[in-house]
Amino acid sequence: MSTRIVCCEQTGCTTSGHITAVGVGSDPAAANSRMTVSEVYRAMDRGERFYTEDQFGNRAAVHKYNCPCGRGSLRSAPDCTRWNNLDSLRICSWRAA
Ligand SMILES: [Zn+2]
């Protein structure tokens, strides 16, 4: 089971940004549902995989990341491109919707 991450919510706790929640779904323009980082962790523990995909169809795996601030976060695999890196995803727009 693979789930595509299409947007993310971040705080500015580190220079790279700390992801606190993500939007998942098949349409990059509109997430189907919101998952907090702990929900993603639980899904990963059940064997679910998460990835990002750029406009060319290149996928990058998403992994757990232990942020220096002490709270769990998420990070793209080192082989990600500049386009499918988690940091280059758009910011979720739940509040604006
Ligand atoms: Zn952090």
Side-chain angles (χ1 to χ4, degrees), residues 41-96:
Y41 275 27
R42 281 199 292 274
M44 284 174 166
D45 291 341
R46 290 194 305 265
E48 197 162 326
R49 292 168 174 277
F50 289 82
Y51 67 95
T52 57
E53 186 176 318
D54 65 18
Q55 65 267 48
F56 311 109
N58 300 311
R59 291 185 177 190
V62 171
H63 299 290
K64 296 179 180 178
Y65 169 62
N66 289 316
C67 184
C69 77
R71 293 173 55 209
S73 184
L74 296 167
R75 179 170 270 189
S76 306
D79 63 348
C80 65
T81 69
R82 77 177 267 213
W83 304 110
N84 60 18
N85 189 304
L86 270 179
D87 287 333
S88 65
L89 289 181
R90 67 184 176 82
I91 301 297
C92 288
S93 50
W94 314 107
R95 287 174 195 83

Side-chain angles (χ1 to χ4, degrees), residues 11-14 16-20 65-73:
T11 65
C13 86
T14 66
S16 57
H18 178 132
I19 292 169
T20 55
Y65 169 62
N66 289 316
C67 184
C69 77
R71 293 173 55 209
S73 184

